[in-house]
């Protein structure tokens, strides 16, 4: 075990883009970072995204470190029941990072938001996106909508979330992005931006600046969390 404790130094950045409503939400703290992208119409998706971001953001304080994996696996079902109790009908994607003081780092995803882990010069992890991509059955009149999601958080929607585990290292960078951001960037952009400035706020600002320079088609939200090993 490292001589000290691990924590995030994080910042969030957000643009509305061309849409009338801001349906993205984010949260971050010393042990969590979250981006959620609401799905549906009207004001409902933004409310759902905010609830999803709050739920994941509070997980490190509500469960023991050894129970993080189980809590993250159960989170979509637990949130689905919570949203149902609160009368919501819309859904949300999620990309979340949870860090324990001993360096146990969990990344979880559902939908088409994205989590990226960069360590030095290496792109350690990029999550798969949960878009419908299978060809239509023989004899059908077309392909399914490629943007339709097959995993997302919503009332009465049960699934297994994407969940990976790493042992964090001092200086690791976790970047969480809604689809309005990452569809306008490529991997080399992220690595170049991270190596140009180590400050999370500056990294997030530059990511959104580059995404917006390609003409935003959706809300754009980015959270950057740098892993720090603190002494004492």
């Amino acid at each position: 075990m490292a001589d000290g404790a691990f924590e995030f130094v994080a910042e969030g950045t957000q643009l509305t883009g061309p849409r009338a409503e801001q349906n993205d939400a984010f949260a971050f703290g010393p042990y969590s970072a979250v981006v959620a992208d609401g799905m549906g119409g009207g004001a409902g998706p933004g409310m759902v995204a905010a609830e999803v971001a709050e739920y994941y953001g509070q997980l490190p304080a509500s469960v023991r470190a050894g129970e993080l994996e189980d809590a993250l696996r159960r989170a979509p079902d637990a949130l689905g029941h919570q949203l149902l109790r609160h009368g919501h009908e819309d859904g949300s994607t999620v990309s979340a990072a949870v860090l324990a003081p001993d360096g146990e780092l969990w990344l979880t995803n559902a939908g088409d938001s994205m989590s990226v882990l960069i360590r030095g010069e290496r792109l350690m992890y990029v999550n798969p996106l949960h878009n419908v991509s299978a060809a239509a059955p023989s004899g059908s009149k077309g392909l399914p909508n490629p943007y339709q999601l097959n995993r997302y958080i919503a009332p009465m929607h049960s699934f297994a979330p994407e969940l990976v585990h790493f042992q964090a290292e001092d200086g690791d960078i976790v970047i969480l992005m809604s689809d309005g951001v990452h569809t306008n960037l490529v991997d080399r952009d992220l690595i170049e931006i991270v190596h140009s400035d180590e400050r999370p706020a500056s990294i997030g600002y530059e990511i959104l600046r580059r995404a917006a320079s390609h003409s935003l088609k959706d809300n754009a939200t980015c959270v950057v969390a740098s892993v720090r090993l603190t002494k004492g």
Side-chain angles (χ1 to χ4, degrees):
M1 183 175 176
D3 182 19
F6 289 90
E7 65 180 15
F8 283 141
V9 176
E11 189 59 79
T13 315
Q14 190 172 62
L15 292 173
T16 300
R19 297 195 172 187
E21 301 287 342
Q22 175 54 267
N23 291 333
D24 292 354
F26 66 90
F28 59 85
Y31 304 110
S32 63
V34 195
V35 166
D37 182 355
M39 305 160 53
M47 296 173 63
V48 171
E51 196 159 331
V52 169
E54 180 181 19
Y55 184 93
Y56 279 92
Q58 293 181 349
L59 269 183
S62 62
V63 300
R64 296 176 182 175
E67 299 172 351
L68 278 176
E69 179 179 4
D70 185 54
L72 288 166
R73 292 193 188 281
R74 292 186 289 103
D77 281 346
L79 263 169
H81 286 90
Q82 178 176 305
L83 294 172
L84 185 65
R85 290 195 306 271
H86 294 173
H88 293 299
E89 298 179 354
D90 297 304
S92 176
T93 72
V94 68
S95 284
V98 178
L99 177 66
D102 64 359
E104 187 177 47
L105 173 63
W106 294 94
L107 301 176
T108 188
N109 297 275
D112 58 1
S113 295
M114 182 174 285
S115 299
V116 175
L117 174 61
I118 296 175
R119 177 173 293 167
E121 301 288 335
R122 297 177 60 194
L123 189 66
M124 297 287 292
Y125 176 74
V126 179
N127 67 280
L129 305 181
H130 303 130
N131 294 339
V132 173
S133 58
S138 177
S140 67
K141 295 185 178 180
L143 297 176
N145 178 357
Y147 301 105
Q148 182 180 346
L149 303 182
N150 52 23
R151 295 190 200 180
Y152 54 89
I153 293 172
M156 307 302 292
H157 186 64
S158 180
F159 63 92
E162 198 78 33
L163 184 61
V164 296
H165 170 259
F166 295 89
Q167 178 59 37
E169 294 185 7
D170 187 42
D172 282 352
I173 300 288
V174 175
I175 303 173
L176 310 177
M177 298 170 283
S178 65
D179 65 318
V181 179
H182 68 74
T183 53
N184 283 352
L185 298 174
V186 295
D187 295 347
R188 65 176 179 272
D189 289 327
L190 297 175
I191 294 175
E192 178 185 323
I193 293 168
V194 165
H195 289 149
S196 67
D197 197 317
E198 296 181 351
R199 295 170 296 178
S202 298
I203 293 170
Y205 173 84
E206 180 61 17
I207 287 173
L208 282 199
R209 190 194 69 78
R210 293 201 192 188
S213 71
H214 295 288
S215 183
L216 294 179
K217 298 179 176 62
D218 197 353
N219 300 149
T221 300
C222 175
V223 171
V224 179
S226 176
V227 175
R228 293 288 182 262
L229 178 60
T230 62
K231 302 299 182 182

